[in-house]
Amino acid sequence: LKLTCRFLLLSSFALEVASIFVSTVTGSVLLGHGAQSTAKSILGYTSPLGLMRHHHEFEYLTIQIGFLQGLMHWLAAVGIDMLIPQENEKASSRKMNMFMASLIGTLISWILAFYNNNLSFYSDYAEMLKRCASLFVKRYIVWPIRPMSLLYVPGFFVTLVLGWRALSSLSEAEE
């Protein structure tokens, strides 16, 4: 459980950093067009989010998914930390920790249900994940090869191998 908690905390941090980075760059791109071009380009859209979805759908999805998934990873890590028995823990403390872990798990479920109920362009969170993955492949794993893909595609596969090794050795680490 400790390694799972650590993985969730680190992935939460990475997801939140990605969300902040993409939202900052996207905001700069949108503001860089100036007031006149932004006002002209919004014609035909019923909302600013409609404009974002049409012209910057990948960025919109990355921001939304990065934030929500990072939040869920962080909450799950806190809940799992509550489940880990502490040395010399009293029965009353153990009961409180179990209650808090259950509360956090329920909160995660409610947040996801609330999010699914209030989506504008997608039927549910799973559809958002599928669409984001599809857009990522179309945008970043394409021909002709983009120069930066020579760095991040191999890096992605190295990360997968290292992650597999780390996660497949969990039973050894806990012995």
Side-chain angles (χ1 to χ4, degrees):
L1 286 177
K2 287 181 181 179
L3 291 175
T4 302
C5 185
R6 184 172 181 180
F7 168 78
L8 288 169
L9 287 171
L10 292 173
S11 62
S12 170
F13 177 74
L15 287 162
E16 297 301 340
V17 167
S19 179
I20 292 167
F21 174 75
V22 172
S23 64
T24 301
V25 171
T26 303
S28 297
V29 167
L30 290 172
L31 291 173
H33 291 304
Q36 290 180 340
S37 63
T38 303
K40 289 178 186 174
S41 66
I42 202 166
L43 294 175
Y45 301 102
T46 57
S47 69
L49 282 181
L51 173 75
M52 279 284 294
R53 181 174 182 234
H54 186 266
H55 292 288
H56 303 283
E57 185 178 17
F58 178 74
E59 291 82 355
Y60 171 76
L61 288 170
T62 302
I63 294 164
Q64 295 292 313
I65 291 168
F67 175 76
L68 181 62
Q69 198 65 47
L71 176 64
M72 289 193 300
H73 281 210
W74 183 78
L75 287 170
V78 171
I80 288 171
D81 187 54
M82 293 284 167
L83 290 175
I84 299 171
Q86 303 298 317
E87 199 174 313
N88 299 323
E89 184 176 38
K90 295 184 179 178
S92 60
S93 293
R94 186 82 208 122
K95 288 178 185 177
M96 181 57 78
N97 287 343
M98 295 299 287
F99 162 70
M100 292 302 296
S102 177
L103 178 67
I104 290 171
T106 303
L107 178 63
I108 291 170
S109 299
W110 179 81
I111 287 172
L112 191 55
F114 181 86
Y115 195 79
N116 280 338
N117 194 48
N118 290 285
L119 287 173
S120 298
F121 307 114
Y122 308 94
S123 62
D124 58 22
Y125 188 60
E127 184 187 351
M128 287 179 69
L129 292 171
K130 286 187 272 186
R131 180 68 179 152
C132 188
S134 168
L135 290 170
F136 180 85
V137 169
K138 286 178 186 173
R139 183 180 277 190
Y140 294 105
I141 303 178
V142 294
W143 190 262
I145 295 174
R146 294 176 171 207
M148 287 301 294
S149 68
L150 297 174
L151 294 175
Y152 65 74
V153 170
F156 174 76
F157 287 110
V158 168
T159 301
L160 284 178
V161 169
L162 293 174
W164 175 259
R165 288 180 184 167
L167 294 173
S168 64
S169 69
L170 287 178
S171 60
E172 297 169 13
E174 291 177 357
E175 289 177 359

